[in-house]
């Protein structure tokens, strides 16, 4: 069997090249840096459920391990033995050129080849002449450049999460919202976006709604105002970000806030 191995945050174009032709993928439930160096652990491009769903579109089977301190401490040889116990028919490992494994990242493609496995190191994908990477996609999202992020992902960038009850402030302003709390905070620039949803086009603010004062969110939420008010809203909701409109900011008066939202809606719809 052919096994693709990696964390695959974003399941972007480069990851899809690694996954192509594999019989299965081995990934982790959490980013390795969350254990190895928590202070450097990145915000994830894709939420766990979304990443798993995207992986399942690429390969017939997905196997998920928890990356914990015990796994981080195993030697490359011990990791290989675990692989062979779990996948006794393993013949080929597919990976990126920077993949390392085992304590201290001491294991690599050469290590596996010396022990009889075939290793296919997949060349990285490029976009506009530069290497596609999770780091580059995070940088694009941090700038609000959802078009670039979507191009490197190979699909439109979307946020998904549980619908939360709001405080009715949007409705009072004449712009009722569906409040979506992602399972994990993405590396996305706070601000206002034009979005598409299963219920039609929308205008969304990603942030804490600072103009709400004491009623502001404690952590970022995607507040989606739809062009057409829906009859019902599901318990989970997703929105595809089309383009960034402006940064989130605090308005001193109700009138200024309403005027800006109306202008944003004109731009979004």
């Amino acid at each position: 069997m052919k096994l693709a191995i990696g964390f695959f945050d974003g399941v972007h174009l480069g990851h899809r090249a690694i996954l192509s032709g594999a019989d299965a993928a081995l990934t982790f439930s959490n980013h390795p840096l969350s254990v190895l160096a928590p202070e450097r652990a990145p915000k994830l491009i894709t939420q766990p459920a979304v990443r798993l769903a995207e992986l399942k579109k690429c390969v017939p089977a997905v196997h998920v391990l928890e990356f914990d301190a015990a796994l981080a401490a195993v030697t490359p040889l011990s990791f290989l033995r675990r692989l062979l116990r779990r996948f006794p028919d393993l013949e080929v490992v597919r990976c990126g050129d920077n993949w390392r494994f085992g304590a201290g990242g001491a294991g690599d493609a050469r290590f596996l080849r010396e022990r009889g496995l075939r290793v296919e190191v997949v060349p990285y994908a490029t976009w506009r002449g530069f290497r596609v990477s999770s780091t580059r996609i995070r940088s694009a999202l941090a700038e609000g450049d959802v078009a670039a992020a979507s191009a490197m992902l190979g699909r439109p960038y979307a946020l998904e999460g549980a619908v939360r009850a709001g405080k009715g402030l949007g409705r009072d302003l004449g712009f009722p919202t569906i409040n979506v709390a992602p399972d994990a905070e993405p590396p996305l620039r706070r601000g206002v976006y034009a979005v598409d949803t299963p219920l039609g086009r929308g205008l969304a603010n990603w942030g804490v709604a600072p103009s709400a004062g004491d009623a502001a969110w404690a952590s970022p939420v995607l507040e989606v105002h739809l062009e057409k008010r829906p009859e019902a809203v599901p318990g989970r909701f997703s929105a595809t970000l089309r383009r960034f409109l402006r940064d989130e900011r605090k308005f001193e008066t109700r009138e200024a806030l309403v005027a800006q939202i109306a202008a944003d809606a004109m731009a979004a719809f």
Side-chain angles (χ1 to χ4, degrees):
M1 70 167 288
K2 285 189 178 184
L3 180 68
I5 306 179
F7 184 66
F8 304 119
D9 183 26
V11 195
H12 56 59
L13 293 177
H15 295 150
R16 291 171 188 272
I18 295 170
L19 295 161
S20 177
D23 301 300
L26 177 64
T27 189
F28 305 101
S29 59
N30 53 310
H31 196 289
L33 283 178
S34 67
V35 173
L36 298 173
E39 72 282 358
R40 294 194 289 116
K43 293 180 179 178
L44 300 183
I45 298 165
T46 42
Q47 298 162 69
V50 175
R51 182 168 62 95
L52 186 59
E54 290 297 325
L55 285 171
K56 288 180 177 179
K57 293 177 183 177
C58 297
V59 290
V62 179
H63 302 266
V64 182
L65 294 179
E66 179 185 2
F67 194 96
D68 56 17
L71 183 59
V74 302
T75 65
L77 184 57
S78 178
F79 183 78
L80 173 58
R81 287 170 176 165
R82 292 187 185 195
L83 271 185
L84 294 175
R85 284 198 299 269
R86 185 160 187 162
F87 307 102
D89 56 345
L90 178 61
E91 295 179 344
V92 181
V93 169
R94 289 177 63 81
C95 61
D97 63 353
N98 61 350
W99 180 62
R100 300 292 184 273
F101 62 94
D108 57 10
R110 179 180 177 180
F111 179 92
L112 295 181
R113 287 175 177 141
E114 289 174 345
R115 285 153 182 83
L117 278 179
R118 284 175 52 202
V119 182
E120 296 174 351
V121 178
V122 181
Y124 56 80
T126 60
W127 180 71
R128 292 189 174 177
F130 292 94
R131 180 173 184 159
V132 172
S133 69
S134 298
T135 298
R136 191 175 175 211
I137 294 171
R138 290 187 197 105
S139 295
L141 291 174
E143 296 171 0
D145 192 349
V146 291
S150 296
M152 289 185 281
L153 286 169
R155 66 184 187 279
Y157 180 72
L159 286 183
E160 175 185 315
V163 173
R164 295 179 54 178
K167 302 174 179 65
L169 298 179
R171 183 175 61 251
D172 292 343
L173 295 172
F175 298 94
T177 61
I178 298 170
N179 308 307
V180 183
D183 302 321
E185 183 179 342
L188 181 65
R189 181 177 181 176
R190 294 189 186 184
V192 178
Y193 294 82
V195 301
D196 289 323
T197 81
L199 299 179
R201 286 199 160 186
L203 169 72
N205 184 78
W206 167 246
V208 297
S211 300
D214 293 341
W217 300 105
S219 57
V221 168
L222 190 72
E223 298 176 300
V224 183
H225 170 66
L226 296 175
E227 184 176 19
K228 296 181 180 179
R229 189 166 185 172
E231 295 182 1
V233 177
R236 287 187 68 84
F237 198 73
S238 65
T240 298
L241 278 59
R242 283 190 285 120
R243 67 180 186 278
F244 178 81
L245 298 178
R246 64 171 176 84
D247 285 313
E248 181 180 52
R249 67 179 187 269
K250 183 176 181 179
F251 292 86
E252 298 302 325
T253 67
R254 174 190 176 96
E255 292 74 20
L257 176 58
V258 170
Q260 183 62 62
I261 297 174
D264 293 338
M266 289 288 290
F269 302 150

